[in-house]
Amino acid sequence: MEVETTGSQAHTEGWLRVEPAVLRALATAAEVLGMPEDAELSLAVVDDQEIHALNRQYRHVDAPTDVLSFPLLELEPGEPIPMDEIPPVLGDVVLSLPHIYRQAEAYGHSPEREAAFLAVHGLLHLLGHDHVTPEGEARMFALQEEILEKAGLPRHGA
């Protein structure tokens, strides 16, 4: 999977520290999920003000958040796309770099693990996974943990 990283925080020291873990986790996700090699993902790394504006505009939530996903396909929540129907361009995942560092500290794990978790979470949303129902949440979070463990980023690890 090809990942294009953009955004106001994409060249900061904070992002450059966590980027290798994020790319490793996304590559692992593509492998675990059996995604086509030519799939493309846009990853925007922004600050709290930018993600706040996007959250307000697109979700009508007047607050910053940690991750937003904008799939190119119209998806039915909780209905993952079959791998043979994945479009070449998946959509956009937007990460708040300040949220990554705050949440890592709050949850007691590394910023690398938190950034990878949020990137994989966003990718799964692009593919139709959701956590609206308890069943969907259990499936999605189990898949995230499987991917992160295989990428060498377990819950309380590096």
Side-chain angles (χ1 to χ4, degrees):
M1 175 173 53
E2 183 178 328
V3 179
E4 180 185 350
T5 306
T6 63
S8 67
Q9 303 299 300
H11 300 288
T12 64
E13 186 178 318
W15 176 250
L16 295 176
R17 173 183 171 184
V18 300
E19 184 178 35
V22 169
L23 296 178
R24 185 172 75 241
L26 290 171
T28 302
E31 182 182 311
V32 167
L33 297 168
M35 293 174 60
E37 289 184 23
D38 63 348
E40 296 177 21
L41 166 71
S42 173
L43 184 63
V45 186
V46 300
D47 63 25
D48 279 342
Q49 293 76 23
E50 292 168 290
I51 207 163
H52 185 160
L54 291 169
N55 206 21
R56 182 176 49 241
Q57 180 177 357
Y58 293 103
R59 294 184 59 229
H60 310 291
V61 176
D62 193 14
T65 189
D66 50 6
V67 60
L68 292 170
S69 297
F70 299 98
L72 288 184
L73 290 180
E74 289 242 356
L75 301 173
E76 190 66 36
E79 295 294 325
I81 303 169
M83 286 302 116
D84 61 349
E85 294 178 25
I86 288 182
V89 180
L90 302 172
D92 303 312
V93 172
V94 182
L95 300 175
S96 166
L97 188 61
H99 256 83
I100 288 168
Y101 279 85
R102 282 194 305 271
Q103 288 180 177
E105 185 174 336
Y107 297 146
H109 53 243
S110 70
E112 291 83 356
R113 201 276 186 204
E114 184 65 17
F117 172 85
L118 292 174
V120 169
H121 187 88
L123 171 64
L124 291 176
H125 277 307
L126 293 182
L127 298 173
H129 293 269
D130 214 322
H131 44 85
V132 175
T133 66
E135 298 81 17
E137 180 177 22
R139 280 192 306 272
M140 186 172 177
F141 280 74
L143 187 52
Q144 288 170 164
E145 290 306 320
E146 175 188 348
I147 291 165
L148 292 169
E149 284 188 24
K150 286 186 178 179
L153 295 157
R155 180 172 293 275
H156 294 290

